[in-house]
């Protein structure tokens, strides 16, 4: 992995291939390896840049909340450091999507198109905000296991769980390795985010929304509603997938991205 110093410290990233730049932003509480199938499947035609967000993978955490704005600004700084002048195709999953809305809002000249996977535009309900702060405190005291136990049953489709035990195992191991400090600052940052729905109509770039048909965290119906509010939104559902469609059904996700970008 490569490293650059941006924002609050070093940021680690993969940078593979040549061509139009794709910026791949992982979900919570994962790291850039969540995109391994896309790095493998798309780097023949595109420059694929996949960072570890601050506090995940090999990018050291900060204690204060990582707001979606702050993650977005660090990504813009990373692109500066990599001398990527051409507008990127921003591809984000779930929390990577929350960051994507802010990335567009704050750095729109850097965005050519967006692919938003298994995500939402709305902020958290009051209840969800309370749960995030509570989870952040518990993670800092007891570690990530309780959070992993809570998230795990909702992440994957039944079919993935039955057919891909290695993937289930690898995901669990990755989540268990997450740094509690990074996890807590992401939880607090997600709790602080505001509703992006009123701004959807301002997004002038084409946006592809992809969602696993069995996603119970950010369901397809919610993403279809987002697509309808975007001036250039298009919705595609991904069969045999839950919340982590790019990992669960990479062949369909990759070919959908290729076709949409061709
Ligand atoms: C994610 O996959 O990034 C999380 O489900 C986002 C969230 O907790 O809202």
């Amino acid at each position: 992995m490569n490293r650059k110093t941006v924002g609050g410290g070093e940021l680690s990233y993969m940078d593979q291939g040549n061509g139009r730049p794709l910026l791949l932003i992982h979900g919570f509480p994962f790291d850039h390896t969540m995109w391994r199938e896309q790095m493998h499947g798309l780097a023949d035609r595109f420059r694929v840049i996949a960072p570890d967000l601050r506090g995940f993978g090999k990018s050291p955490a900060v204690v204060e909340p990582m707001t979606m704005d702050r993650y977005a600004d660090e990504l813009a700084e990373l692109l500066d450091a990599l001398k990527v002048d051409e507008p990127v195709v921003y591809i984000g999953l779930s929390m990577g999507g929350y960051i994507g809305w802010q990335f567009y809002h704050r750095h729109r000249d850097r965005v050519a198109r967006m692919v938003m996977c298994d995500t939402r535009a709305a902020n958290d309900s009051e209840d969800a905000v309370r749960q995030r702060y509570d989870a952040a405190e518990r993670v800092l005291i007891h570690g990530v296991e309780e959070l992993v136990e809570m998230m795990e049953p909702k992440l994957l489709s039944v079919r993935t769980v039955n057919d891909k035990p290695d993937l289930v195992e690898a995901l669990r191991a990755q989540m268990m390795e997450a740094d509690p400090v990074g996890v807590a600052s992401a939880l607090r940052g997600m709790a602080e985010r505001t509703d992006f729905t009123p701004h959807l109509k301002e997004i002038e770039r084409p946006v592809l929304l992809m969602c696993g048909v069995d996603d119970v965290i950010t369901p397809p119906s919610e993403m279809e509603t987002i697509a309808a509010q975007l001036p250039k939104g298009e919705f595609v559902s991904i069969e045999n997938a839950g919340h982590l469609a790019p990992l669960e059904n990479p062949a369909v996700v990759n070919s959908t991205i290729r076709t949409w970008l061709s």
Side-chain angles (χ1 to χ4, degrees):
M1 276 197 98
N2 303 303
R3 284 192 176 77
K4 292 274 182 207
T5 300
V6 300
E10 277 193 342
L11 221 55
S12 296
Y13 62 95
M14 294 296 287
D15 185 357
Q16 293 175 346
N18 293 297
R20 274 172 91 177
L22 311 185
L23 181 63
L24 300 173
I25 305 304
H26 62 81
F28 169 91
F30 304 105
D31 62 30
H32 78 281
T33 58
M34 200 216 85
W35 297 110
R36 54 189 171 271
E37 300 285 357
Q38 284 64 48
M39 290 189 277
H40 180 70
L42 299 171
D44 62 327
R45 210 174 116 198
F46 300 98
R47 178 176 176 185
V48 181
I49 302 165
D52 283 344
L53 290 167
R54 164 105 18 254
F56 295 95
K58 299 214 168 353
S59 296
V62 290
V63 177
E64 60 272 22
M66 277 301 295
T67 60
M68 304 303 104
D69 297 13
R70 187 163 167 190
Y71 283 123
D73 290 351
E74 288 203 352
L75 295 176
E77 274 189 56
L78 178 66
L79 293 178
D80 282 343
L82 293 176
K83 305 202 180 340
V84 177
D85 301 324
E86 188 184 337
V88 301
V89 179
Y90 183 103
I91 305 182
L93 180 132
S94 200
M95 184 176 81
Y98 311 160
I99 297 166
W101 304 128
Q102 292 308 322
F103 188 76
Y104 181 82
H105 201 55
R106 298 164 75 82
H107 306 285
R108 69 185 60 189
D109 291 347
R110 308 212 74 131
V111 181
R113 288 172 168 249
M114 303 180 86
V115 180
M116 300 296 248
C117 308
D118 302 279
T119 192
R120 61 166 46 95
N123 55 342
D124 291 343
S125 66
E126 274 179 33
D127 236 27
V129 166
R130 260 195 302 275
Q131 283 169 27
R132 297 251 200 227
Y133 284 120
D134 187 45
E137 266 178 46
R138 296 184 68 79
V139 158
L140 288 173
I141 298 167
H142 303 291
V144 294
E145 189 167 357
E146 191 181 292
L147 182 80
V148 173
E149 300 291 343
M150 199 188 71
M151 286 190 74
E152 208 181 14
K154 298 189 210 149
L155 287 173
L156 302 168
S157 68
V158 173
R159 177 154 175 172
T160 305
V161 172
N162 290 336
D163 293 359
K164 300 187 174 173
D166 292 353
L167 174 59
V168 177
E169 212 31 64
L171 272 176
R172 184 180 170 80
Q174 186 180 121
M175 290 193 286
M176 288 298 291
E177 271 174 25
D179 176 354
V181 177
V183 167
S185 68
L187 283 165
R188 290 172 174 150
M190 285 193 280
E192 281 184 23
R193 71 192 203 283
T194 51
D195 185 9
F196 196 78
T197 313
H199 300 289
L200 290 171
K201 57 179 182 303
E202 295 158 18
I203 299 191
E204 292 154 1
R205 312 287 189 270
V207 184
L208 176 66
L209 294 116
M210 283 199 283
C211 190
V213 286
D214 298 320
D215 187 343
V216 292
I217 297 179
T218 50
S221 56
E222 190 168 342
M223 293 201 72
E224 271 188 278
T225 310
I226 298 174
Q229 294 173 78
L230 288 161
K232 295 181 188 167
E234 197 178 319
F235 173 78
V236 175
S237 64
I238 306 293
E239 65 200 3
N240 302 329
H243 187 59
L244 299 179
L247 270 172
E248 297 182 71
N249 196 344
V252 171
V253 166
N254 289 358
S255 71
T256 305
I257 292 174
R258 272 177 185 275
T259 309
W260 190 67
L261 292 178
S262 65

